[in-house]
């Protein structure tokens, strides 16, 4: 199914905001941004967030248009993480085993949810 003119306009606007944000990140990272740059950042970030939010509920966007918007959002997130990598601090959880011994696990290193099964967190 072909995109409507409105859908293409929304996608083009989202792409414009994403590109402006991508240009802002290295400038901010280098400490070369000022108050006007920050205002521009907030405007582009808010506009992109608003446009992408149309994909999270029944807004009338086709699945194809929603997918393109989600791709733009993913590109923005990836670009942001490239310039501002965040390392999660260790988050240790102690687990008590049936025999009574405990082990500490750094759950910040795991992307999936731990299935505890017969184990119970130490309280």
């Amino acid at each position: 199914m072909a995109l409507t003119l409105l859908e293409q306009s929304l996608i083009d606007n989202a792409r414009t905001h994403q590109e402006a944000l991508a240009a802002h990140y290295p400038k901010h990272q280098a400490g070369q941004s000022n108050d006007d740059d920050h205002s521009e950042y907030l405007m582009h970030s808010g506009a992109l967030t608003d446009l992408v939010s149309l994909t999270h509920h029944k807004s009338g966007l086709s699945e194809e248009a929603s997918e393109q918007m989600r791709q733009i959002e993913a590109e923005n997130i990836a670009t942001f993480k490239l310039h501002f990598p965040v390392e999660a601090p260790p988050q240790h959880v102690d687990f008590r085993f049936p025999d009574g011994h405990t082990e500490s696990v750094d759950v910040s290193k795991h992307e999936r949810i731990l299935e505890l099964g017969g184990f119970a967190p130490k309280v």
Side-chain angles (χ1 to χ4, degrees):
M1 178 177 173
L3 296 175
T4 67
L5 185 57
L6 177 60
E7 287 175 326
Q8 189 60 56
S9 294
L10 293 170
I11 291 166
D12 291 345
N13 278 327
R15 175 65 63 200
T16 298
H17 293 300
Q18 185 268 329
E19 289 169 353
L21 290 169
H24 173 78
Y25 298 144
K27 187 176 181 179
H28 180 78
Q29 186 181 30
Q32 299 171 345
S33 62
N34 56 36
D35 288 344
D36 289 339
D37 294 325
H38 184 69
S39 294
E40 289 267 325
Y41 164 79
L42 293 175
M43 189 264 308
H44 289 296
S45 180
L48 181 58
T49 299
D50 287 344
L51 288 167
V52 169
S53 73
L54 296 172
T55 69
H56 298 295
H57 54 82
K58 295 196 180 281
S59 65
L61 285 180
S62 67
E63 186 54 40
E64 182 181 345
S66 292
E67 182 55 37
Q68 286 189 38
M69 292 282 248
R70 285 190 290 269
Q71 181 61 37
I72 291 168
E73 177 185 38
E75 290 171 22
N76 183 56
I77 291 168
T79 304
F80 180 87
K81 286 181 176 181
L82 178 68
H83 292 285
F84 304 101
V86 177
E87 192 168 316
Q91 297 175 348
H92 292 279
V93 175
D94 291 331
F95 290 93
R96 183 184 348 222
F97 291 81
D99 66 2
H101 84 280
T102 60
E103 287 185 26
S104 183
V105 176
D106 181 2
V107 296
S108 67
K109 303 274 187 223
H110 298 279
E111 292 187 21
R112 304 231 185 259
I113 296 173
L114 295 173
E115 292 186 28
L116 298 176
F119 304 115
K122 182 181 176 184
V123 182

